[in-house]
Amino acid sequence: MYNIIKELHSGWAYLALFLLVLAVVNSAIGLFSKKEFTPWDRKVGIMALIGTHTQLLIGLVLYFVSPLGFSSLGQMSDKVLRMTSLEHPLINIIAITLITIGWSKHKKLITSESKFKTFSIFYGLGLLLILSRIPWNLWK
Protein backbone atom coordinates (compact mmCIF):
# COMPACT_ATOMS: atom_id res chain seq x y z
CA MET A 1 0.00 0.00 0.00
CA TYR A 2 2.82 2.40 0.90
CA ASN A 3 4.50 2.05 -2.51
CA ILE A 4 1.25 2.67 -4.39
CA ILE A 5 0.51 5.84 -2.43
CA LYS A 6 4.12 6.99 -2.79
CA GLU A 7 3.99 6.53 -6.58
CA LEU A 8 0.62 8.28 -6.76
CA HIS A 9 1.93 11.22 -4.72
CA SER A 10 5.02 11.41 -6.90
CA GLY A 11 3.12 11.14 -10.18
CA TRP A 12 0.32 13.53 -9.25
CA ALA A 13 2.96 16.11 -8.29
CA TYR A 14 3.81 16.58 -11.98
CA LEU A 15 0.20 17.41 -12.80
CA ALA A 16 -0.26 19.64 -9.75
CA LEU A 17 2.94 21.57 -10.49
CA PHE A 18 2.02 21.93 -14.16
CA LEU A 19 -1.41 23.32 -13.27
CA LEU A 20 0.06 25.67 -10.67
CA VAL A 21 2.73 26.97 -13.03
CA LEU A 22 0.05 27.42 -15.71
CA ALA A 23 -2.12 29.42 -13.29
CA VAL A 24 0.77 31.65 -12.22
CA VAL A 25 1.95 32.29 -15.79
CA ASN A 26 -1.62 32.87 -16.98
CA SER A 27 -2.29 35.35 -14.19
CA ALA A 28 0.98 37.20 -14.81
CA ILE A 29 0.20 37.47 -18.53
CA GLY A 30 -3.31 38.68 -17.74
CA LEU A 31 -2.00 41.24 -15.25
CA PHE A 32 0.73 42.67 -17.47
CA SER A 33 -1.31 42.65 -20.69
CA LYS A 34 -4.31 44.20 -18.90
CA LYS A 35 -6.74 41.72 -20.42
CA GLU A 36 -10.20 40.90 -19.14
CA PHE A 37 -10.63 38.07 -16.65
CA THR A 38 -12.48 35.33 -18.55
CA PRO A 39 -14.06 31.99 -17.65
CA TRP A 40 -10.86 30.35 -18.99
CA ASP A 41 -8.81 32.22 -16.38
CA ARG A 42 -11.22 31.09 -13.67
CA LYS A 43 -10.95 27.47 -14.87
CA VAL A 44 -7.16 27.59 -14.80
CA GLY A 45 -7.27 28.88 -11.23
CA ILE A 46 -9.76 26.27 -10.02
CA MET A 47 -7.87 23.43 -11.70
CA ALA A 48 -4.66 24.50 -9.95
CA LEU A 49 -6.57 24.68 -6.68
CA ILE A 50 -8.06 21.22 -7.17
CA GLY A 51 -4.72 19.77 -8.29
CA THR A 52 -2.87 21.06 -5.24
CA HIS A 53 -5.63 20.03 -2.81
CA THR A 54 -5.66 16.54 -4.28
CA GLN A 55 -1.88 16.40 -3.89
CA LEU A 56 -2.27 17.50 -0.27
CA LEU A 57 -4.78 14.74 0.47
CA ILE A 58 -2.56 12.08 -1.10
CA GLY A 59 0.40 13.54 0.79
CA LEU A 60 -1.40 13.43 4.13
CA VAL A 61 -2.25 9.76 3.63
CA LEU A 62 1.37 9.10 2.66
CA TYR A 63 2.60 11.04 5.69
CA PHE A 64 0.92 8.62 8.07
CA VAL A 65 1.83 5.37 6.25
CA SER A 66 5.41 6.28 5.30
CA PRO A 67 8.42 5.39 7.43
CA LEU A 68 9.77 8.84 6.47
CA GLY A 69 6.68 10.72 7.68
CA PHE A 70 4.97 10.97 11.03
CA SER A 71 6.87 8.06 12.56
CA SER A 72 10.14 9.95 11.94
CA LEU A 73 8.98 13.23 13.44
CA GLY A 74 11.42 14.41 16.07
CA GLN A 75 14.60 13.18 14.39
CA MET A 76 15.79 16.66 13.50
CA SER A 77 19.50 15.85 13.26
CA ASP A 78 18.94 13.78 10.10
CA LYS A 79 18.44 16.19 7.15
CA VAL A 80 16.36 13.75 5.08
CA LEU A 81 14.05 12.81 7.93
CA ARG A 82 13.65 16.45 8.96
CA MET A 83 12.70 17.32 5.37
CA THR A 84 10.16 14.51 4.93
CA SER A 85 8.67 14.53 8.43
CA LEU A 86 8.50 18.28 9.11
CA GLU A 87 9.66 20.77 6.47
CA HIS A 88 7.99 19.30 3.37
CA PRO A 89 4.52 18.78 4.89
CA LEU A 90 4.48 22.01 6.92
CA ILE A 91 5.65 24.33 4.15
CA ASN A 92 3.36 22.67 1.59
CA ILE A 93 0.34 23.06 3.90
CA ILE A 94 1.23 26.75 4.23
CA ALA A 95 1.61 27.00 0.43
CA ILE A 96 -1.74 25.37 -0.26
CA THR A 97 -3.34 27.61 2.36
CA LEU A 98 -1.99 30.63 0.47
CA ILE A 99 -3.36 29.24 -2.80
CA THR A 100 -6.75 28.70 -1.17
CA ILE A 101 -6.73 32.25 0.22
CA GLY A 102 -5.91 33.56 -3.26
CA TRP A 103 -8.85 31.64 -4.73
CA SER A 104 -11.23 32.90 -2.03
CA LYS A 105 -10.07 36.51 -2.32
CA HIS A 106 -10.39 36.61 -6.11
CA LYS A 107 -14.10 35.75 -5.91
CA LYS A 108 -14.83 38.97 -3.99
CA LEU A 109 -12.93 41.21 -6.40
CA ILE A 110 -14.55 43.06 -9.28
CA THR A 111 -11.80 44.25 -11.61
CA SER A 112 -9.81 41.95 -13.84
CA GLU A 113 -6.56 43.57 -12.77
CA SER A 114 -7.21 42.85 -9.09
CA LYS A 115 -8.21 39.24 -9.82
CA PHE A 116 -5.03 38.60 -11.84
CA LYS A 117 -2.93 40.37 -9.21
CA THR A 118 -4.41 38.24 -6.41
CA PHE A 119 -3.77 35.03 -8.35
CA SER A 120 -0.25 36.14 -9.23
CA ILE A 121 0.67 36.94 -5.64
CA PHE A 122 -0.98 34.08 -3.74
CA TYR A 123 -0.54 31.31 -6.30
CA GLY A 124 3.00 32.56 -7.01
CA LEU A 125 3.98 32.48 -3.34
CA GLY A 126 2.42 29.03 -3.02
CA LEU A 127 4.41 27.81 -6.02
CA LEU A 128 7.68 29.19 -4.64
CA LEU A 129 7.11 27.56 -1.26
CA ILE A 130 6.23 24.22 -2.85
CA LEU A 131 9.31 24.30 -5.09
CA SER A 132 11.50 25.18 -2.11
CA ARG A 133 10.51 22.06 -0.18
CA ILE A 134 10.30 19.31 -2.77
CA PRO A 135 12.65 16.51 -1.69
CA TRP A 136 14.32 16.42 -5.12
CA ASN A 137 16.65 13.55 -4.18
CA LEU A 138 13.65 11.31 -3.34
CA TRP A 139 11.42 12.35 -6.23
CA LYS A 140 11.14 10.12 -9.27
Side-chain angles (χ1 to χ4, degrees):
M1 169 115 166
Y2 163 68
N3 286 328
I4 294 170
I5 296 169
K6 184 173 110 178
E7 293 299 320
L8 180 61
H9 185 63
S10 209
W12 190 267
Y14 289 105
L15 178 62
L17 281 173
F18 170 76
L19 292 170
L20 191 53
V21 168
L22 179 65
V24 170
V25 169
N26 182 62
S27 64
I29 290 170
L31 180 63
F32 294 121
S33 68
K34 300 189 187 301
K35 71 176 198 137
E36 285 298 310
F37 193 84
T38 65
W40 162 255
D41 301 312
R42 184 185 172 283
K43 288 176 187 171
V44 169
I46 191 77
M47 292 306 294
L49 181 77
I50 291 169
T52 54
H53 278 130
T54 303
Q55 181 69 356
L56 174 63
L57 289 174
I58 298 167
L60 286 173
V61 171
L62 181 62
Y63 184 72
F64 289 104
V65 300
S66 170
L68 300 175
F70 184 71
S71 61
S72 298
L73 193 60
Q75 299 182 27
M76 299 297 113
S77 59
D78 185 332
K79 290 174 89 173
V80 173
L81 292 179
R82 184 178 63 239
M83 171 67 100
T84 58
S85 68
L86 179 66
E87 293 173 4
H88 177 72
L90 179 63
I91 296 300
N92 287 332
I93 288 170
I94 292 168
I96 293 170
T97 301
L98 287 171
I99 292 165
T100 306
I101 291 169
W103 174 258
S104 296
K105 287 179 83 61
H106 109 278
K107 294 190 294 185
K108 299 172 188 163
L109 300 171
I110 297 170
T111 65
S112 293
E113 180 182 5
S114 61
K115 288 178 183 258
F116 283 127
K117 188 175 185 180
T118 299
F119 273 153
S120 294
I121 292 169
F122 285 93
Y123 279 49
L125 287 173
L127 176 62
L128 287 174
L129 287 174
I130 288 169
L131 290 174
S132 77
R133 288 298 166 248
I134 292 175
W136 299 101
N137 57 334
L138 300 175
W139 196 20
K140 293 179 183 178

